[in-house]
Each structure stands twice: as C-alpha cells, then as structure tokens.
C-alpha cells in the first residue's frame, strides 16, 4: 500500500508558480513570415502579454524531476498576405495562447484567435449595380475571422542569456465568415522570431 | 513647412493604381478583373488575341465548375483559341474561385443570367462595342447560354453561339440518359466488360424506368459520369491527365483557390438550383443567332438525341450540329482538336 502511494505521488504533478530556471518575460513582440497556403506571402506582427504561468514538476519512476512551465498569454496579431489576382488579406486578431516550455527552452504553443479580416480584391472591380464602365471603390470586404494557431520553437536565451530571442514555426488555421453561403477555412504557415521584453 | 507633407503625394499613384484599368486590345492579352453583383465577386480573366476583335466568352460547366480549370489543364482546347481570339474565362457566382457572401436564394438561373449580362456590358465598355462577342457554353454553361439568349433580350449583341454538350431540358437528359445507360449496361455486360459496375447501373435503371425527381436525376447523373469513364476504350483522350506539377502549380501558384471552390460547390448543393433547373425546360425556338452545337456520341450526361431535339428547335438560319464519334461528356478533353477546328470554322467563316 505504501509503495502504491509512493508510486502515485511520483507520478503526481506538483503545481507551483513559475520561477527558477524559467525566465518569464512580461512582454513579447514577434514578427513572422505568414504564408497563406504556404506560398501567398505575408507578414504578421504580434504582441503577447504574460498573464498567468505555473510550473509543473513531474517526478519519474526513477526519481528524475522534470519541470514544465505552462504560461497563459494574451495579445494581439496584426498581419497581412497577398494572394495574387485573388485578394490581399489584412487582419487584426486578439489571441489567447497557452505555451508549454521545457527548461532547455523548447516550447510548443496553442492559441485561439478571433478578430476581423479585410479582404481587398487586388484587381479592378466592376460593381454591376453602379457602373460597368469603370471600376468602383467597393473592393474591400470585412469578414469575421476566427481559428487556431499551433507552433513549436526554441527560446534561444536559455543557451545565450544575452540573446532574448525565440524562434518559432507554426500554423494558423482560421476561417473567414461569411464566404459563399457558409465560411472559408484557410491555413497559413508561420516562421519567425519573438523578442522577450521585460 | 509648407512642403512638409508633399512627399505623401508620391504615394497617390500607388493607391490609384489599384483602380486603374488599361485593358487594351493586344495579341497577347492577360487582363484580370472582378465583376461584383448581388454579393458575389466573380473573377474574369481575359487572355489571348483580343487584337483580333473577336472574343469568346467561356461559360463553364457545373453548376459550380470553374473556367480557370480549362485554362490550366485543357491547353489543346484553349491555346489554339487564344492564338486567334480573346478568350474570357469567367468564374460564375458560387463557382470556382469566385468570392463573396452569396445568399443561396440568389442561386437562380435568372441571377446567373443577370451576371452574364453585366459581364457582357463590362467587356463592351472596356474592349469596345465593335468587338465580335461569341458565347461558348460547356454542359451547364450550355444551358446558361441558351437561357440567357432566350431571356436577356440581348442575343443581337452576340455574334455566334457555341453550345458544347449543353442541355435545354434536364428532365429529358435524365430520362434519355437513363435509357442509354440501360442499353449500354446490357451491351457491356454481354461483352464481359466492367461487369460489376455495369450490373449496378443495370439494376438501378431497371428499378427506375422513369426519372421524375431531382434525387433520381442526381443519381442518374452520377452513373452517367461514371459511364464516361467505363467507356474509356471508346474515347479519344487528347488531353492527358494533368501532371502533379501542373496540379500543384494550379493549387498554389495561380489565382485559383481550391478551398473556395469546395465551399462554393457546397453553396450550390445547398441551394434549390438543381430542383429549379429540373422543372425549367427551355424553348430554344427563340434563339435566332448563328449556332454551332457539338456533342459526344458516348455522352451519357447530355445524350446526343436530346441535343438533336434542341437543334431542331433552334430558329437560327445558320446552325449546325456535330456529334463527335469518340467523345463523351468530357469532349473538351477527348477530341479537342476536332472541337477547336469546328469552333474556328464557325467563328472565322
């Protein structure tokens, strides 16, 4: 019975406020390539504010302690991409992100974003209701945008304390609504850097 | 200080350039624009020799298909046309890579016709009234062309009408197609060819002697398209299947958006368009302009006898019909050279 309890305790994660080996920045700003369907190029700028973080200590059967830092961040993303002869998308979306970081600096993150996207048709638009002889100015359309962001990366400051940088690779899966008579799902690949501030 | 913000003037041409149109007649046009109507933003791509002052407006199939697919994958059909004429690739509402928030209620034949009228007006304003405009409809595009010519009151603005496997009566194509399927199912089973697939078709035809609702029509249509593939040995395949590289280029490096196409197709499926079309036969006796009709002998979707019936209705004094012997419903890919030759003869002479 005592062994069972020990086993249980070994496997039980201990929660605590994040400290120690983890350098938690208050603010982070980032810039990433934003490739809608990979090849439609764009850029996204992001700001994240650290909201909550907690450390989970997990002890393996061999008695090895493994720390994982979970942090909750809120922020905003502003970006755009160009889909030639289709549209240019400009978006602004608040985002809530959960990041899991190891002591070595590797992390993965999941986020939920919701905001707005303006799609600008990047060719002349003839509005048949107004004029068929000259293109009109009604070529910007606003849509609701929502979706997920997944990513992995590495905190370079763990190895190089004077380098407050992270690189990350991820994907944004988002929908724009309305489209046709429902919504359009889009995917973007992101690769970029984040600066840790404060 | 007076000139402090004058540098901003430098940016004005950049913004204005977004709205600029300079669609000039050329031997190698590559003009791209959108038409917007009732919530839909529909891309239009004008390519080829507009300098010829002859333009072919391509009406794609479906409903819900794409004209950009012809441009990307059916070069044997499109390139000879582009060498001689301007070719207008128009993505219809809720079709292909068109955009916008489209009310399913707007997916009516009348709305598609209104869009086509608008497209013609834009082309006339941009390229001139002295350009000879031809309509070329493929499958559903053939029905749309027929319907537009009958109802728009503008057929005098079209120099000629090319109907490629386009129906005028959906109930007729369903029932004649069903009979044709039943005939070939018996024949092919007798030959021992693709027995399992043909037996399924045979059984379905036996249990559906008459097609009177859209659910059965859609099933018959599915079998008819399948028969096109089953009769592969009887068809010419001038257009080879697209290479992976071509498909990837089309998916990732063209104005086409595959996701948008799927959503658009769903919009068509969720609408009442098919139900409407099934109960909306056209009276083609109101078509008076020169007309070329082309069908495929092995077309189970729009069988030749229905095209022949449509042909006989036409009031045009200049009209001809050609049933290509080694083509099915996809004759644009099957006997492209013959088709193009017929089109060129029709347009030039």
């Amino acid at each position: 019975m005592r062994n069972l309890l020990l086993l249980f305790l070994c496997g039980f994660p201990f929660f605590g406020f994040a400290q120690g080996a983890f350098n938690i920045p208050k603010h982070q700003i980032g810039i990433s390539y934003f490739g809608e369907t990979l090849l439609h190029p764009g850029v996204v700028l992001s700001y994240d504010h650290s909201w909550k973080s907690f450390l989970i200590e997990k002890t393996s059967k061999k008695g090895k302690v493994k720390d994982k830092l979970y942090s909750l961040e809120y922020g905003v993303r502003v970006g755009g991409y160009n889909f030639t002869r289709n549209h240019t998308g400009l978006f602004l979306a608040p985002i809530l992100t959960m990041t899991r970081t190891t002591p070595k600096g590797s992390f993965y993150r999941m986020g939920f974003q919701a905001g707005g996207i303006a799609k600008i048709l990047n060719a002349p638009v003839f509005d048949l209701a107004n004029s068929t002889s000259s293109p009109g100015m009604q070529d910007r359309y606003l849509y609701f945008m929502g979706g997920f962001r997944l990513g992995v990366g590495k905190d370079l400051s763990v190895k190089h304390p004077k380098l407050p940088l992270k690189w990350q690779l991820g994907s944004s899966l988002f929908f724009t609504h309305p489209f046709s008579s429902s919504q359009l799902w889009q995917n973007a690949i992101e690769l970029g850097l984040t600066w840790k501030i404060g | 200080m007076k000139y402090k913000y004058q540098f901003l003037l430098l940016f004005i041409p950049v913004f204005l350039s977004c709205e600029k149109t300079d669609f000039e007649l050329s031997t190698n046009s590559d003009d791209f624009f959108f038409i917007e109507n009732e919530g839909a933003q529909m891309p239009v791509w004008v390519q080829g020799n507009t300098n010829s002052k002859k333009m072919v407006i391509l009406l794609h199939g479906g409903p819900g298909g794409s004209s950009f697919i012809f441009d990307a994958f059916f070069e044997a059909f499109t390139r000879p046309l582009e060498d001689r004429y301007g070719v207008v690739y128009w993505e219809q509402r809720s079709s292909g890579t068109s955009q916008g928030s489209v009310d399913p209620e707007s997916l009516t034949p009348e709305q598609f016709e209104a869009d086509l009228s608008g497209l013609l007006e834009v082309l006339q304003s941009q390229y001139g009234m002295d350009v000879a405009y031809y309509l070329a409809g493929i499958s559903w595009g053939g029905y749309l062309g027929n319907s537009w010519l009958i109802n728009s009151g503008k057929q005098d603005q079209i120099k000629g009408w090319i109907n490629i496997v386009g129906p005028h009566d959906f109930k007729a194509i369903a029932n004649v197609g069903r009979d044709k399927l039943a005939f070939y199912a018996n024949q092919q089973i007798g030959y021992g060819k693709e027995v399992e697939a043909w037996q399924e078709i045979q059984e379905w035809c036996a249990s559906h002697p008459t097609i009177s609702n859209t659910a059965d029509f859609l099933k018959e249509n599915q079998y008819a398209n399948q028969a096109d593939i089953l009769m592969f040995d009887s068809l010419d395949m001038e257009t080879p299947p697209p290479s992976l590289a071509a498909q990837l280029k089309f998916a990732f490096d063209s104005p086409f958006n595959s996701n948008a196409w799927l959503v658009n197709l769903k919009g068509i499926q969720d609408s009442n368009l098919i139900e409407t079309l099934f109960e909306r036969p056209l009276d083609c006796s109101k078509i008076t302009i020169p007309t070329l009709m082309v069908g495929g002998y092995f077309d189970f979707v729009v069988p030749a006898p229905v095209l022949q019936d449509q042909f006989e209705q036409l009031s045009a004094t200049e009209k001809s019909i050609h049933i290509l012997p080694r083509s099915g419903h996809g004759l644009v890919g099957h006997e492209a050279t013959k088709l193009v030759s017929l089109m060129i003869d029709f347009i030039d002479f």
Side-chain angles (χ1 to χ4, degrees):
Chain A
M1 188 65 191
R2 197 172 357 149
N3 285 344
L4 271 178
L5 184 65
L6 195 66
L7 213 66
F8 175 74
L9 288 175
C10 285
F12 190 83
F14 288 89
F15 293 90
F17 290 105
Q19 296 294 334
F22 296 99
N23 172 18
I24 308 157
K26 196 90 177 153
H27 311 279
Q28 298 178 79
I29 55 170
I31 182 167
S32 294
Y33 170 77
F34 185 89
E36 199 259 356
T37 59
L38 187 63
L39 294 178
H40 304 140
V43 160
V44 59
L45 304 172
S46 61
Y47 167 77
D48 290 297
H49 180 86
S50 182
W51 183 23
K52 300 268 187 206
S53 54
F54 48 92
L55 196 63
I56 295 182
E57 279 182 14
K58 206 171 176 182
T59 310
S60 68
K61 286 177 190 173
K62 291 178 181 173
K64 199 174 177 185
V65 178
K66 287 182 178 175
D67 290 346
K68 296 279 189 309
L69 176 73
Y70 287 82
S71 54
L72 207 54
E73 296 135 11
Y74 62 84
V76 67
R77 286 154 53 80
V78 182
Y81 60 90
N82 181 49
F83 185 169
T84 305
R85 288 184 158 176
N86 197 296
H87 69 276
T88 297
L90 299 173
F91 60 86
L92 189 150
I95 183 165
L96 188 65
T97 307
M98 167 74 89
T99 305
R100 196 191 83 158
T101 311
T102 66
K104 287 183 176 175
S106 300
F107 65 86
Y108 70 75
R109 58 197 322 192
M110 295 178 291
F112 173 74
Q113 55 188 333
I117 183 167
K119 290 191 175 182
I120 303 162
L121 300 182
N122 43 24
V125 181
F126 294 88
D127 183 351
L128 302 186
N130 291 328
S131 169
T132 53
S133 59
S134 59
M137 296 297 286
Q138 298 83 358
D139 57 353
R140 293 157 184 83
Y141 306 90
L142 285 172
Y143 300 92
F144 175 75
M145 173 192 183
F148 308 96
R149 183 187 172 211
L150 301 170
V152 294
K154 186 105 178 172
D155 186 344
L156 301 176
S157 68
V158 173
K159 264 194 173 179
H160 312 281
K162 288 184 179 174
L163 194 64
L165 276 178
K166 292 175 178 179
W167 68 260
Q168 72 246 337
L169 173 68
S171 168
S172 267
L173 184 65
F174 60 96
F175 66 89
T176 53
H177 178 89
F179 183 91
S180 189
S181 51
S182 52
Q183 62 273 332
L184 177 69
W185 280 94
Q186 295 173 257
N187 183 40
I189 301 296
E190 296 183 29
L191 176 63
L193 294 170
T194 298
W195 281 263
K196 296 158 69 173
I197 304 167
Chain B
M1 286 298 284
K2 190 179 172 186
Y3 302 108
K4 188 178 173 185
Y5 298 109
Q6 214 169 40
F7 74 95
L8 290 174
L9 293 174
L10 293 171
F11 293 95
I12 289 177
V14 176
F15 293 115
L16 287 180
S17 66
C18 299
E19 306 301 332
K20 190 169 171 280
T21 54
D22 50 359
F23 303 140
E24 291 170 357
L25 298 176
S26 154
T27 53
N28 190 21
S29 286
D30 180 23
D31 301 332
F32 199 96
F33 59 89
F34 290 84
I35 55 171
E36 179 178 18
N37 200 21
E38 291 294 326
Q41 293 118 34
M42 298 164 276
V44 181
W45 200 347
V46 179
Q47 296 188 56
N49 184 3
T50 53
N51 209 33
S52 65
K53 294 213 166 187
K54 291 176 179 173
M55 291 175 78
V56 179
I57 303 170
L58 197 65
L59 308 177
H60 64 68
S66 167
S67 63
F68 289 3
I69 281 178
F70 290 106
D71 178 50
F73 299 133
F74 293 86
E75 290 193 355
F77 171 59
T78 56
R79 292 300 168 265
L81 294 176
E82 287 180 15
D83 286 345
R84 287 175 174 78
Y85 323 113
V87 180
V88 181
Y89 300 95
W90 165 47
E91 300 281 78
Q92 298 159 20
R93 67 178 45 241
S94 199
S95 305
T97 197
S98 71
Q99 301 183 51
S101 168
V102 176
D103 183 352
E105 298 290 311
S106 78
L107 296 174
T108 62
E110 292 79 9
Q111 186 58 60
F112 281 88
E113 289 168 24
D115 295 340
L116 178 53
S117 292
L119 170 63
L120 180 63
E121 281 178 36
V122 171
L123 292 171
Q124 287 170 333
S125 72
Q126 298 303 307
Y127 295 94
M129 295 293 286
D130 58 336
V131 170
Y133 294 97
Y134 293 81
L135 278 185
I138 300 167
S139 190
W140 144 255
Y143 178 92
L144 173 59
N146 277 330
S147 188
W148 183 85
L149 290 167
I150 292 165
N151 299 317
S152 68
K154 293 185 176 183
Q155 64 174 302
D156 59 324
Q157 296 174 33
I158 296 295
K159 188 84 171 170
W161 165 223
I162 301 162
N163 184 355
I164 305 161
V165 297
H168 70 298
D169 184 338
F170 281 82
K171 210 172 269 184
I173 62 169
N175 283 287
V176 176
R178 177 246 165 248
D179 294 347
K180 187 168 182 171
L181 282 170
F183 175 82
Y184 274 89
N186 289 333
Q187 185 201 65
Q188 295 295 302
I189 290 167
Y191 292 160
K193 288 185 176 177
E194 304 285 354
V195 173
E196 201 175 316
W198 282 112
Q199 271 176 344
E200 184 187 329
I201 293 173
Q202 187 184 47
E203 284 166 20
W204 187 85
C205 289
S207 61
H208 294 81
T210 306
I211 295 168
S212 54
N213 60 61
T214 49
D216 288 345
F217 165 55
L218 290 172
K219 191 68 186 171
E220 185 276 334
N221 188 261
Q222 180 192 322
Y223 283 133
N225 279 300
Q226 188 185 341
D228 240 26
I229 299 164
L230 294 173
M231 298 299 291
F232 186 80
D233 289 348
S234 304
L235 307 174
D236 273 351
M237 290 300 293
E238 275 187 31
T239 302
S243 65
L244 181 63
Q247 290 182 56
L248 289 174
K249 182 174 167 48
F250 185 61
F252 294 106
D253 188 25
S254 81
F256 195 76
N257 184 336
S258 311
N259 283 355
W261 190 19
L262 294 176
V263 177
N264 281 329
L265 269 175
K266 189 174 182 308
I268 296 274
Q269 288 164 359
D270 292 346
S271 75
N272 291 321
L273 182 58
I274 301 298
E275 283 81 357
T276 305
L277 295 174
F278 195 67
E279 302 294 341
R280 191 177 182 269
L282 300 172
D283 175 9
C284 291
S285 67
K286 293 176 183 167
I287 296 175
T288 57
I289 61 169
T291 301
L292 165 69
M293 289 183 64
V294 189
Y297 184 81
F298 291 102
D299 188 348
F300 293 83
V301 180
V302 182
V306 183
L307 289 180
Q308 190 65 43
D309 177 44
Q310 183 189 143
F311 177 75
E312 282 157 19
Q313 284 187 19
L314 295 171
S315 298
T317 51
E318 289 177 52
K319 61 177 183 177
S320 61
I321 183 168
H322 303 265
I323 304 300
L324 304 189
R326 291 188 62 80
S327 286
H329 194 60
L331 70 76
V332 170
H334 298 158
E335 289 179 274
T337 308
K338 276 187 190 167
L339 172 63
V340 169
S341 167
L342 288 168
M343 290 175 73
I344 291 170
D345 284 350
F346 176 73
I347 293 170
D348 286 351
F349 308 108

